[in-house]
Amino acid sequence: MAETIQHREPKKTDNNANQTHYYKTLTIAIVLGLIGVFIRFVPDVCTSFDQHVSLFSAIANISLIVASLIAFKTVFGILGFGKNK
């Protein structure tokens, strides 16, 4: 008795995490967050900016918040919690 093997097409997985725009967006968020961290410590290194500590701190906090929001939005988009496509 001969067994017949049916040819079937390979499964196509639409892996959402492999799209390049996610990596680019996460890289931008990481760089923005690192810039915020470095800006926070500028008055400690350059003593001439001692009178502007609160300004540098505010800029750093805003940068970190924006970077965090971008990163969370991107990660939730990868996981599929974003828009229904």
Side-chain angles (χ1 to χ4, degrees), residues 10-76:
K11 290 184 179 179
K12 293 183 180 181
T13 57
D14 186 21
N15 195 349
N16 199 20
N18 287 340
Q19 297 178 7
T20 9
H21 66 89
Y22 287 131
Y23 291 109
K24 291 177 184 178
T25 308
L26 282 175
T27 303
I28 290 170
I30 290 169
V31 168
L32 192 60
L34 286 174
I35 289 171
V37 169
F38 286 120
I39 287 176
R40 180 177 303 268
F41 297 107
V42 166
D44 293 340
V45 176
C46 300
T47 55
S48 61
F49 293 129
D50 279 342
Q51 58 190 354
H52 301 294
V53 172
S54 60
L55 176 67
F56 281 99
S57 182
I59 293 171
N61 286 338
I62 291 170
S63 174
L64 287 173
I65 289 170
V66 168
S68 298
L69 289 175
I70 292 171
F72 279 122
K73 181 180 176 192
T74 304
V75 169
F76 287 141

